[in-house]
Coordinates of all heavy atoms in Angstrom, one line a residue:
M23 N 31.3 18.6 59.2 CA 30.3 18.1 60.1 C 30.0 16.6 59.7 O 29.9 16.3 58.6 CB 29.0 18.9 60.0 CG 27.9 18.4 60.9 SD 26.3 19.1 60.7 CE 26.7 20.8 60.8
T24 N 30.0 15.8 60.7 CA 29.7 14.4 60.4 C 28.2 14.1 60.4 O 27.4 14.9 61.0 CB 30.4 13.5 61.5 OG1 29.9 13.9 62.8 CG2 31.9 13.7 61.5
V25 N 27.8 13.0 59.9 CA 26.4 12.7 59.8 C 25.9 12.3 61.1 O 24.7 12.5 61.5 CB 26.2 11.6 58.7 CG1 24.7 11.1 58.7 CG2 26.6 12.1 57.3
T26 N 26.7 11.6 61.9 CA 26.2 11.2 63.3 C 27.0 12.0 64.3 O 28.0 12.6 64.1 CB 26.5 9.7 63.5 OG1 27.9 9.5 63.4 CG2 25.8 8.9 62.5
G27 N 26.5 12.0 65.5 CA 27.1 12.7 66.6 C 26.7 14.2 66.7 O 25.8 14.6 66.1
Q28 N 27.4 14.9 67.5 CA 27.1 16.3 67.8 C 27.7 17.2 66.6 O 28.8 16.9 66.1 CB 27.8 16.7 69.1 CG 27.2 16.0 70.3 CD 25.7 16.4 70.5 OE1 25.3 17.5 70.3 NE2 24.9 15.4 70.9
P29 N 27.1 18.3 66.3 CA 27.6 19.2 65.3 C 28.9 19.8 65.9 O 29.1 19.9 67.1 CB 26.5 20.2 65.1 CG 25.6 20.1 66.3 CD 25.8 18.7 66.8
P30 N 29.8 20.2 65.0 CA 31.0 20.9 65.5 C 30.8 22.2 66.2 O 29.7 22.8 66.0 CB 31.8 21.1 64.2 CG 30.8 21.2 63.2 CD 29.7 20.3 63.6
E31 N 31.6 22.5 67.1 CA 31.5 23.8 67.8 C 31.8 24.9 66.8 O 32.8 24.9 66.1 CB 32.6 23.9 68.9 CG 32.4 25.0 69.9 CD 31.2 24.9 70.8 OE1 30.8 23.8 71.1 OE2 30.6 25.9 71.1
I32 N 30.9 25.9 66.7 CA 31.0 27.0 65.8 C 31.5 28.2 66.6 O 31.0 28.6 67.7 CB 29.7 27.4 65.2 CG1 29.1 26.2 64.4 CG2 29.8 28.6 64.3 CD1 30.0 25.8 63.2
T33 N 32.6 28.8 66.1 CA 33.2 30.0 66.8 C 33.0 31.2 66.0 O 32.7 31.2 64.8 CB 34.7 29.7 67.1 OG1 35.4 29.7 65.8 CG2 34.9 28.4 67.8
E34 N 33.3 32.4 66.7 CA 33.3 33.6 65.9 C 34.3 33.6 64.8 O 34.1 34.2 63.8 CB 33.5 34.8 66.9 CG 32.3 35.0 67.8 CD 32.5 36.2 68.7 OE1 33.5 37.0 68.6 OE2 31.6 36.4 69.6
N35 N 35.5 33.0 65.1 CA 36.5 32.9 64.0 C 36.0 32.1 62.8 O 36.3 32.5 61.7 CB 37.8 32.2 64.5 CG 38.6 33.2 65.4 OD1 38.4 34.4 65.3 ND2 39.4 32.6 66.3
D36 N 35.1 31.1 63.0 CA 34.5 30.4 61.9 C 33.6 31.3 61.1 O 33.7 31.3 59.8 CB 33.7 29.2 62.4 CG 34.5 28.1 63.0 OD1 35.7 27.9 62.6 OD2 34.0 27.5 64.0
V37 N 32.8 32.1 61.8 CA 31.9 33.1 61.1 C 32.7 34.1 60.4 O 32.4 34.5 59.2 CB 30.9 33.7 62.1 CG1 30.1 34.8 61.4 CG2 30.0 32.6 62.7
R38 N 33.8 34.6 61.0 CA 34.7 35.6 60.3 C 35.3 35.0 59.0 O 35.4 35.7 58.0 CB 35.8 36.0 61.2 CG 35.4 37.0 62.3 CD 36.6 37.4 63.2 NE 36.2 37.7 64.5 CZ 35.6 38.9 64.9 NH1 35.3 39.7 63.9 NH2 35.3 39.1 66.1
H39 N 35.7 33.7 59.1 CA 36.3 33.1 57.9 C 35.3 33.0 56.8 O 35.6 33.3 55.7 CB 36.8 31.7 58.3 CG 37.4 30.9 57.2 ND1 38.6 31.3 56.6 CD2 36.9 29.8 56.6 CE1 38.8 30.4 55.6 NE2 37.9 29.5 55.6
V40 N 34.1 32.5 57.1 CA 33.0 32.4 56.1 C 32.7 33.8 55.5 O 32.5 33.9 54.3 CB 31.8 31.7 56.7 CG1 30.6 31.7 55.7 CG2 32.1 30.3 57.0
A41 N 32.6 34.8 56.4 CA 32.3 36.1 55.9 C 33.4 36.6 55.0 O 33.1 37.2 53.9 CB 32.2 37.1 57.1
K42 N 34.6 36.3 55.3 CA 35.8 36.7 54.4 C 35.6 36.0 53.1 O 35.8 36.6 52.0 CB 37.1 36.4 55.1 CG 38.3 36.8 54.2 CD 39.6 36.4 54.9 CE 40.8 36.8 54.1 NZ 42.0 36.5 54.7
L43 N 35.3 34.7 53.1 CA 35.1 33.9 51.8 C 34.0 34.5 51.0 O 34.1 34.5 49.8 CB 34.9 32.5 52.1 CG 36.0 31.7 52.7 CD1 35.6 30.3 53.1 CD2 37.2 31.6 51.8
A44 N 33.0 35.0 51.7 CA 31.8 35.6 51.0 C 32.0 37.1 50.7 O 31.1 37.7 50.1 CB 30.5 35.4 51.8
R45 N 33.2 37.6 51.1 CA 33.5 39.0 50.9 C 32.4 39.9 51.5 O 32.0 40.9 51.0 CB 33.6 39.3 49.4 CG 34.8 38.6 48.8 CD 35.1 39.2 47.4 NE 36.4 38.7 47.0 CZ 36.6 38.0 45.9 NH1 35.6 37.5 45.2 NH2 37.9 37.6 45.6
L46 N 32.1 39.5 52.8 CA 31.2 40.3 53.6 C 31.9 41.1 54.7 O 32.8 40.5 55.3 CB 30.1 39.4 54.2 CG 29.2 38.6 53.3 CD1 28.3 37.7 54.1 CD2 28.3 39.6 52.5
R47 N 31.6 42.3 54.8 CA 32.2 43.1 56.0 C 31.1 43.1 57.1 O 30.1 43.7 56.9 CB 32.5 44.5 55.5 CG 33.6 44.6 54.6 CD 34.0 46.1 54.3 NE 35.0 46.1 53.3 CZ 34.9 46.9 52.2 NH1 33.9 47.8 52.1 NH2 35.8 46.9 51.3
L48 N 31.5 42.4 58.2 CA 30.6 42.3 59.3 C 31.1 43.0 60.5 O 32.3 43.0 60.7 CB 30.3 40.9 59.6 CG 29.7 40.0 58.5 CD1 29.5 38.6 59.0 CD2 28.3 40.5 58.1
T49 N 30.3 43.7 61.3 CA 30.7 44.3 62.5 C 30.9 43.2 63.6 O 30.4 42.0 63.4 CB 29.6 45.3 63.0 OG1 28.4 44.6 63.3 CG2 29.4 46.4 62.0
D50 N 31.5 43.5 64.7 CA 31.7 42.6 65.8 C 30.3 42.1 66.3 O 30.2 41.0 66.6 CB 32.5 43.2 66.9 CG 34.0 43.3 66.5 OD1 34.4 42.6 65.6 OD2 34.7 44.1 67.2
E51 N 29.4 43.1 66.4 CA 28.0 42.7 66.8 C 27.4 41.7 65.9 O 26.7 40.7 66.3 CB 27.2 44.0 67.0 CG 25.7 43.7 67.3 CD 25.6 42.9 68.7 OE1 26.4 43.1 69.6 OE2 24.7 42.1 68.8
Q52 N 27.5 41.9 64.6 CA 27.0 41.0 63.6 C 27.6 39.6 63.7 O 27.0 38.6 63.6 CB 27.1 41.5 62.2 CG 26.2 42.7 61.9 CD 26.5 43.3 60.5 OE1 27.7 43.5 60.2 NE2 25.5 43.7 59.8
I53 N 28.9 39.6 63.9 CA 29.7 38.3 64.1 C 29.1 37.6 65.3 O 28.8 36.4 65.2 CB 31.2 38.6 64.3 CG1 31.8 39.2 63.0 CG2 31.9 37.3 64.7 CD1 31.9 38.3 61.9
R54 N 28.9 38.2 66.4 CA 28.3 37.6 67.6 C 26.9 37.1 67.3 O 26.5 36.0 67.6 CB 28.3 38.5 68.8 CG 29.7 38.8 69.4 CD 29.6 39.5 70.7 NE 29.2 40.9 70.5 CZ 30.0 41.9 70.1 NH1 31.3 41.6 69.9 NH2 29.6 43.1 70.0
Q55 N 26.1 37.9 66.6 CA 24.7 37.6 66.3 C 24.7 36.3 65.4 O 23.9 35.4 65.6 CB 24.0 38.7 65.7 CG 22.6 38.5 65.2 CD 22.0 39.6 64.5 OE1 22.6 40.7 64.2 NE2 20.7 39.5 64.1
F56 N 25.4 36.4 64.3 CA 25.4 35.3 63.3 C 26.0 34.0 63.9 O 25.6 32.9 63.6 CB 26.1 35.7 62.1 CG 25.4 36.8 61.3 CD1 26.2 37.7 60.6 CD2 24.1 36.9 61.3 CE1 25.5 38.7 59.9 CE2 23.4 37.8 60.6 CZ 24.2 38.8 59.9
T57 N 27.0 34.1 64.8 CA 27.5 32.9 65.5 C 26.5 32.2 66.3 O 26.3 31.0 66.2 CB 28.7 33.3 66.4 OG1 29.7 33.9 65.6 CG2 29.3 32.1 67.1
A58 N 25.7 33.0 67.1 CA 24.6 32.5 67.9 C 23.6 31.8 67.0 O 23.1 30.7 67.3 CB 24.0 33.6 68.8
Q59 N 23.2 32.5 65.9 CA 22.2 32.0 65.1 C 22.6 30.7 64.4 O 21.9 29.7 64.3 CB 21.8 33.0 64.0 CG 21.0 34.2 64.5 CD 20.8 35.3 63.5 OE1 21.3 35.2 62.4 NE2 20.0 36.2 63.8
L60 N 23.9 30.6 64.0 CA 24.4 29.4 63.3 C 24.4 28.3 64.3 O 24.1 27.1 64.0 CB 25.8 29.7 62.7 CG 26.4 28.6 61.8 CD1 25.4 28.2 60.7 CD2 27.7 29.0 61.3
V61 N 24.8 28.5 65.6 CA 24.8 27.5 66.6 C 23.4 26.9 66.8 O 23.2 25.7 66.8 CB 25.4 28.0 67.9 CG1 25.1 27.1 69.1 CG2 26.9 28.3 67.8
D62 N 22.4 27.8 66.8 CA 21.0 27.4 66.9 C 20.6 26.6 65.7 O 19.9 25.6 65.9 CB 20.1 28.6 67.1 CG 20.3 29.3 68.5 OD1 20.9 28.7 69.4 OD2 19.8 30.5 68.6
V63 N 20.9 27.0 64.5 CA 20.5 26.3 63.3 C 21.1 24.9 63.4 O 20.4 23.9 63.1 CB 20.9 27.0 62.1 CG1 20.8 26.2 60.8 CG2 20.1 28.3 61.9
L64 N 22.4 24.8 63.7 CA 23.0 23.5 63.7 C 22.5 22.6 64.8 O 22.4 21.4 64.6 CB 24.6 23.6 63.8 CG 25.2 24.3 62.6 CD1 26.7 24.4 62.8 CD2 24.9 23.5 61.3
A65 N 22.1 23.2 65.9 CA 21.5 22.4 67.0 C 20.1 21.8 66.5 O 19.8 20.7 66.8 CB 21.3 23.2 68.2
Y66 N 19.4 22.6 65.8 CA 18.1 22.2 65.3 C 18.3 21.0 64.2 O 17.6 20.1 64.2 CB 17.3 23.3 64.7 CG 15.9 23.0 64.3 CD1 15.0 22.7 65.2 CD2 15.6 22.8 62.9 CE1 13.7 22.4 64.9 CE2 14.3 22.4 62.6 CZ 13.3 22.2 63.5 OH 12.1 21.9 63.2
V67 N 19.3 21.2 63.4 CA 19.6 20.1 62.4 C 20.0 18.9 63.2 O 19.6 17.8 62.8 CB 20.7 20.6 61.5 CG1 21.2 19.4 60.6 CG2 20.3 21.7 60.5
G68 N 20.7 19.0 64.3 CA 21.0 17.8 65.1 C 19.8 17.1 65.6 O 19.7 15.9 65.6
K69 N 18.8 17.9 66.0 CA 17.5 17.3 66.5 C 16.8 16.6 65.3 O 16.3 15.5 65.5 CB 16.6 18.4 67.0 CG 17.0 18.9 68.4 CD 16.0 20.0 68.9 CE 16.4 20.6 70.2 NZ 15.5 21.6 70.7
L70 N 16.8 17.2 64.1 CA 16.2 16.5 63.0 C 16.9 15.2 62.6 O 16.2 14.3 62.2 CB 16.2 17.5 61.8 CG 15.4 18.7 61.9 CD1 15.5 19.6 60.7 CD2 13.9 18.4 62.1
R71 N 18.2 15.1 62.8 CA 18.9 13.9 62.5 C 18.5 12.8 63.5 O 18.7 11.6 63.1 CB 20.4 14.2 62.6 CG 20.9 14.9 61.5 CD 22.4 14.9 61.4 NE 22.9 15.5 60.2 CZ 24.0 16.2 60.1 NH1 24.8 16.4 61.2 NH2 24.3 16.7 59.0
Q72 N 17.9 13.1 64.6 CA 17.5 12.0 65.5 C 16.2 11.4 65.2 O 15.8 10.4 65.7 CB 17.4 12.6 66.9 CG 18.7 13.2 67.5 CD 18.5 13.9 68.8 OE1 17.4 14.0 69.3 NE2 19.6 14.5 69.3
L73 N 15.5 12.0 64.2 CA 14.2 11.4 63.8 C 14.4 10.1 63.1 O 15.3 9.9 62.3 CB 13.5 12.4 62.9 CG 13.1 13.7 63.5 CD1 12.5 14.6 62.4 CD2 12.1 13.5 64.6
D74 N 13.4 9.2 63.3 CA 13.4 7.9 62.6 C 12.7 8.1 61.3 O 11.4 8.3 61.3 CB 12.7 6.8 63.5 CG 12.6 5.5 62.7 OD1 13.3 5.3 61.7 OD2 11.9 4.6 63.2
L75 N 13.4 8.1 60.2 CA 12.8 8.4 58.9 C 12.8 7.2 58.0 O 12.5 7.3 56.8 CB 13.6 9.5 58.2 CG 13.6 10.9 58.9 CD1 14.4 11.9 58.2 CD2 12.2 11.4 59.2
D76 N 12.9 6.0 58.6 CA 12.8 4.8 57.8 C 11.4 4.7 57.2 O 10.4 4.8 57.9 CB 13.1 3.5 58.7 CG 14.5 3.4 59.1 OD1 15.4 4.0 58.4 OD2 14.8 2.7 60.1
G77 N 11.3 4.4 55.9 CA 10.1 4.3 55.2 C 9.5 5.6 54.8 O 8.4 5.6 54.2
V78 N 10.1 6.7 55.1 CA 9.6 8.0 54.6 C 10.3 8.3 53.3 O 11.6 8.4 53.2 CB 9.9 9.1 55.6 CG1 9.5 10.5 55.1 CG2 9.2 8.8 57.0
E79 N 9.6 8.5 52.2 CA 10.1 8.7 50.9 C 10.5 10.2 50.8 O 9.8 11.1 51.3 CB 9.2 8.4 49.8 CG 8.9 6.9 49.7 CD 8.1 6.5 48.5 OE1 8.3 7.2 47.4 OE2 7.3 5.6 48.6
P80 N 11.7 10.5 50.2 CA 12.1 11.9 50.0 C 11.1 12.6 49.0 O 10.5 11.9 48.2 CB 13.5 11.8 49.3 CG 13.9 10.4 49.5 CD 12.7 9.5 49.7
M81 N 10.9 13.9 49.3 CA 10.0 14.6 48.4 C 10.6 16.0 48.1 O 11.4 16.5 48.9 CB 8.6 14.7 49.0 CG 8.5 15.4 50.3 SD 6.8 15.4 50.9 CE 7.0 14.8 52.5
A82 N 10.2 16.6 47.0 CA 10.6 17.9 46.7 C 9.7 19.0 47.3 O 10.1 20.1 47.4 CB 10.7 18.1 45.2
H83 N 8.5 18.6 47.6 CA 7.5 19.6 48.1 C 6.5 18.8 49.0 O 6.2 17.7 48.9 CB 6.7 20.2 46.9 CG 6.0 21.4 47.3 ND1 4.8 21.5 47.9 CD2 6.4 22.7 47.1 CE1 4.4 22.7 48.1 NE2 5.3 23.5 47.6
A84 N 6.0 19.5 50.0 CA 5.1 18.9 51.0 C 3.8 18.6 50.4 O 3.1 17.7 51.0 CB 5.0 19.9 52.2
L85 N 3.4 19.2 49.4 CA 2.1 19.0 48.7 C 2.3 18.3 47.4 O 3.3 18.5 46.7 CB 1.3 20.3 48.5 CG 1.0 21.1 49.8 CD1 0.4 22.4 49.4 CD2 0.1 20.3 50.7
D86 N 1.3 17.5 47.0 CA 1.4 16.8 45.7 C 0.9 17.8 44.7 O -0.3 17.9 44.4 CB 0.5 15.6 45.8 CG 0.7 14.7 44.5 OD1 1.7 14.9 43.8 OD2 -0.2 13.9 44.2
L87 N 1.8 18.5 44.1 CA 1.4 19.6 43.1 C 1.9 19.1 41.7 O 2.8 18.4 41.5 CB 2.1 20.9 43.4 CG 1.8 21.5 44.7 CD1 2.7 22.8 44.9 CD2 0.4 21.9 44.8
T88 N 1.1 19.6 40.7 CA 1.5 19.4 39.3 C 1.3 20.7 38.6 O 0.5 21.5 39.0 CB 0.6 18.3 38.6 OG1 -0.8 18.7 38.7 CG2 0.8 17.0 39.2
N89 N 2.2 20.9 37.6 CA 2.1 22.2 36.8 C 0.9 22.1 35.9 O 0.6 21.1 35.3 CB 3.3 22.4 36.0 CG 4.5 22.8 36.8 OD1 4.3 23.4 37.9 ND2 5.7 22.5 36.4
V90 N 0.2 23.2 35.8 CA -0.9 23.4 34.8 C -0.4 24.3 33.7 O -0.2 25.5 34.0 CB -2.2 24.0 35.5 CG1 -3.3 24.1 34.5 CG2 -2.6 23.1 36.7
L91 N -0.1 23.7 32.6 CA 0.4 24.4 31.5 C -0.6 24.6 30.4 O -1.4 23.8 30.1 CB 1.7 23.7 30.9 CG 2.8 23.4 31.9 CD1 3.8 22.5 31.3 CD2 3.4 24.7 32.5
R92 N -0.5 25.8 29.7 CA -1.4 26.1 28.6 C -0.8 25.4 27.4 O 0.4 25.1 27.3 CB -1.6 27.6 28.4 CG -0.3 28.3 28.1 CD -0.6 29.8 27.8 NE 0.6 30.5 27.7 CZ 1.5 30.6 26.7 NH1 1.3 29.8 25.6 NH2 2.6 31.3 26.7
E93 N -1.6 25.3 26.3 CA -1.1 24.8 25.1 C -0.1 25.7 24.5 O -0.2 26.9 24.5 CB -2.3 24.7 24.1 CG -2.0 23.9 22.9 CD -1.8 22.4 23.1 OE1 -2.4 21.9 24.1 OE2 -1.1 21.8 22.3
D94 N 1.0 25.2 24.0 CA 2.1 25.9 23.4 C 1.7 26.3 21.9 O 1.9 25.5 21.0 CB 3.4 25.2 23.4 CG 4.6 26.0 23.0 OD1 4.4 27.3 23.0 OD2 5.7 25.5 22.8
V95 N 1.1 27.4 21.8 CA 0.6 27.9 20.5 C 1.3 29.1 20.0 O 1.5 30.1 20.8 CB -0.9 28.2 20.6 CG1 -1.5 28.6 19.2 CG2 -1.7 26.9 21.0
E96 N 1.8 29.1 18.8 CA 2.5 30.3 18.3 C 1.5 31.4 18.1 O 0.3 31.2 17.6 CB 3.1 29.9 16.9 CG 3.9 31.0 16.3 CD 4.5 30.6 15.0 OE1 4.7 29.4 14.7 OE2 4.8 31.5 14.2
R97 N 1.9 32.6 18.5 CA 1.0 33.8 18.3 C 1.9 35.0 18.1 O 3.1 35.0 18.4 CB 0.1 34.0 19.5 CG 0.8 34.1 20.8 CD -0.3 34.2 21.9 NE 0.4 34.3 23.2 CZ -0.2 34.4 24.3 NH1 -1.5 34.3 24.4 NH2 0.5 34.5 25.4
P98 N 1.4 36.1 17.6 CA 2.2 37.3 17.3 C 2.9 37.8 18.6 O 2.3 37.8 19.6 CB 1.3 38.3 16.7 CG 0.0 37.5 16.4 CD 0.0 36.3 17.2
G99 N 4.1 38.3 18.4 CA 4.8 38.9 19.6 C 4.6 40.4 19.6 O 3.8 41.0 18.9
L100 N 5.3 41.1 20.5 CA 5.2 42.5 20.7 C 5.8 43.2 19.6 O 7.0 42.9 19.2 CB 5.8 42.9 22.1 CG 5.6 44.2 22.7 CD1 4.2 44.5 23.0 CD2 6.5 44.4 23.9
P101 N 5.2 44.2 19.0 CA 5.9 45.0 17.9 C 7.1 45.7 18.4 O 7.2 46.1 19.6 CB 4.8 46.0 17.5 CG 3.5 45.5 18.0 CD 3.9 44.7 19.2
V102 N 8.1 45.8 17.6 CA 9.4 46.4 18.0 C 9.2 47.8 18.6 O 9.7 48.2 19.6 CB 10.4 46.5 16.8 CG1 11.6 47.3 17.1 CG2 10.7 45.1 16.3
E103 N 8.3 48.6 17.9 CA 8.1 50.0 18.4 C 7.5 49.9 19.9 O 7.9 50.8 20.7 CB 7.1 50.7 17.5 CG 7.6 50.9 16.1 CD 7.4 49.6 15.2 OE1 6.5 48.7 15.5 OE2 8.2 49.5 14.3
A104 N 6.6 49.0 20.1 CA 6.0 48.9 21.5 C 7.1 48.5 22.5 O 7.1 49.0 23.6 CB 4.8 48.0 21.5
A105 N 7.9 47.5 22.1 CA 9.0 47.0 23.0 C 10.0 48.1 23.3 O 10.4 48.2 24.5 CB 9.7 45.8 22.4
L106 N 10.3 49.0 22.4 CA 11.3 50.0 22.6 C 10.7 51.3 23.2 O 11.4 52.2 23.5 CB 12.0 50.3 21.3 CG 12.9 49.2 20.7 CD1 13.4 49.6 19.4 CD2 14.0 48.8 21.7
A107 N 9.4 51.4 23.3 CA 8.7 52.6 23.6 C 9.2 53.3 24.9 O 9.4 54.5 25.0 CB 7.2 52.4 23.8
N108 N 9.5 52.5 26.0 CA 10.0 53.0 27.2 C 11.5 52.9 27.5 O 12.0 53.1 28.6 CB 9.2 52.4 28.4 CG 7.8 52.8 28.4 OD1 7.5 54.0 28.1 ND2 6.9 51.9 28.6
A109 N 12.2 52.4 26.4 CA 13.7 52.2 26.6 C 14.4 53.6 26.8 O 14.1 54.5 26.0 CB 14.2 51.5 25.4
P110 N 15.3 53.7 27.7 CA 16.0 55.0 27.9 C 16.8 55.3 26.7 O 17.0 56.5 26.3 CB 16.8 54.8 29.2 CG 16.6 53.4 29.7 CD 15.6 52.7 28.8
E111 N 17.4 54.3 26.1 CA 18.2 54.5 24.9 C 17.9 53.3 24.0 O 17.7 52.2 24.4 CB 19.7 54.5 25.2 CG 20.2 55.7 26.0 CD 21.7 55.8 26.1 OE1 22.3 55.8 25.0 OE2 22.2 55.9 27.2
Q112 N 17.9 53.6 22.7 CA 17.6 52.6 21.7 C 18.3 52.9 20.4 O 18.7 54.0 20.1 CB 16.1 52.5 21.5 CG 15.4 53.8 21.2 CD 13.9 53.7 21.0 OE1 13.5 53.3 20.0 NE2 13.2 54.1 22.0
S113 N 18.5 51.8 19.7 CA 19.0 51.9 18.3 C 18.2 50.8 17.6 O 18.6 49.7 17.4 CB 20.5 51.5 18.3 OG 21.0 51.6 17.0
P114 N 17.0 51.2 17.1 CA 16.1 50.2 16.5 C 16.8 49.3 15.5 O 17.6 49.8 14.8 CB 15.0 51.1 15.9 CG 15.0 52.4 16.7 CD 16.5 52.6 17.1
P115 N 16.5 48.0 15.6 CA 15.5 47.4 16.5 C 16.1 46.9 17.8 O 15.6 45.9 18.3 CB 15.0 46.2 15.6 CG 16.3 45.8 14.9 CD 17.0 47.1 14.6
Y116 N 17.1 47.5 18.4 CA 17.8 47.0 19.6 C 17.7 48.0 20.7 O 17.5 49.2 20.5 CB 19.3 46.8 19.3 CG 19.5 45.9 18.1 CD1 20.0 46.4 16.9 CD2 19.2 44.5 18.2 CE1 20.2 45.6 15.8 CE2 19.5 43.7 17.1 CZ 19.9 44.2 15.9 OH 20.1 43.4 14.8
F117 N 17.8 47.5 21.9 CA 18.0 48.3 23.1 C 19.4 48.7 23.2 O 20.3 47.8 22.9 CB 17.6 47.5 24.4 CG 16.1 47.2 24.5 CD1 15.7 46.0 24.1 CD2 15.3 48.1 25.1 CE1 14.3 45.7 24.2 CE2 13.9 47.8 25.3 CZ 13.4 46.6 24.8
K118 N 19.8 49.9 23.6 CA 21.2 50.3 23.8 C 21.4 50.2 25.3 O 20.6 50.7 26.1 CB 21.4 51.7 23.4 CG 21.7 51.8 21.9 CD 22.0 53.2 21.5 CE 23.4 53.5 21.5 NZ 23.8 54.8 21.0
V119 N 22.4 49.4 25.7 CA 22.7 49.3 27.1 C 24.2 49.6 27.4 O 25.0 49.5 26.5 CB 22.4 47.8 27.6 CG1 21.0 47.5 27.5 CG2 23.2 46.8 26.8
P120 N 24.5 50.0 28.6 CA 25.9 50.3 28.9 C 26.8 49.1 28.8 O 26.4 48.0 29.1 CB 25.9 50.9 30.3 CG 24.5 50.9 30.7 CD 23.7 50.2 29.7
K121 N 28.0 49.3 28.4 CA 29.0 48.2 28.3 C 29.3 47.7 29.8 O 29.5 48.5 30.7 CB 30.3 48.7 27.7 CG 31.3 47.7 27.5 CD 32.5 48.3 26.8 CE 33.6 47.3 26.6 NZ 34.8 47.9 25.9
V122 N 29.2 46.4 30.0 CA 29.4 45.9 31.3 C 30.7 45.1 31.4 O 31.1 44.7 32.5 CB 28.2 45.0 31.8 CG1 27.0 45.8 31.9 CG2 28.0 43.8 30.8
M123 N 31.3 44.8 30.3 CA 32.6 44.0 30.4 C 33.6 44.8 29.6 O 33.4 45.4 28.6 CB 32.4 42.6 29.8 CG 31.5 41.7 30.6 SD 31.4 40.1 30.0 CE 33.0 39.5 30.4
G124 N 34.8 44.8 30.2 CA 35.9 45.5 29.5 C 37.2 45.2 30.2 O 37.3 44.3 31.1
E125 N 38.2 46.0 30.0 CA 39.5 45.7 30.6 C 39.5 45.8 32.1 O 40.2 45.1 32.7 CB 40.5 46.8 30.0 CG 40.8 46.6 28.5 CD 41.7 47.7 28.0 OE1 42.4 48.3 28.8 OE2 41.7 47.9 26.8
D126 N 38.7 46.7 32.7 CA 38.7 46.8 34.1 C 37.6 46.0 34.8 O 37.4 46.1 36.0 CB 38.5 48.3 34.5 CG 39.6 49.2 34.0 OD1 40.7 48.7 33.9 OD2 39.3 50.4 33.8
S127 N 36.9 45.1 34.1 CA 35.8 44.4 34.7 C 36.3 43.2 35.5 O 35.5 42.6 36.2 CB 34.8 44.0 33.6 OG 35.4 43.0 32.8
G128 N 37.5 42.7 35.3 CA 37.9 41.5 36.0 C 37.5 40.3 35.3 O 37.7 39.2 35.8
A129 N 36.8 40.4 34.2 CA 36.3 39.2 33.5 C 37.3 38.8 32.4 O 38.2 39.5 32.0 CB 35.0 39.5 32.8

C-alpha cells in the first residue's frame, strides 16, 4: 500500500493468502466476511490519511498519564510451602511441569 492515493483492491485471494500464512483455516463465508471487513478498514484508513495533521504531535496515548509507582522496598516473599500448596505436582522446592520441548516439538 502506498502512502498516497487509493488503497489497493483487496480480493478474497488476498485474504486466503494471509490466512494461509497465519495457518488459519477459514470457511468460504469467513473469507467473504473478512474480505469485506478489510476493505472497510482500509477505506477508513484512507479517510484518515486525508486529514491535515500539520502541527499535531504524535502521542502514545490520548490522555496525559503518568505511572504511579510505589517505593521499591525489599520484603519477605511467599514461603515455598505456600507457593507449592496448590501445585498439581511438585518436587520441593520446585514445581513439576510436563516436558514441552523434545524431539517431536519442532524446536
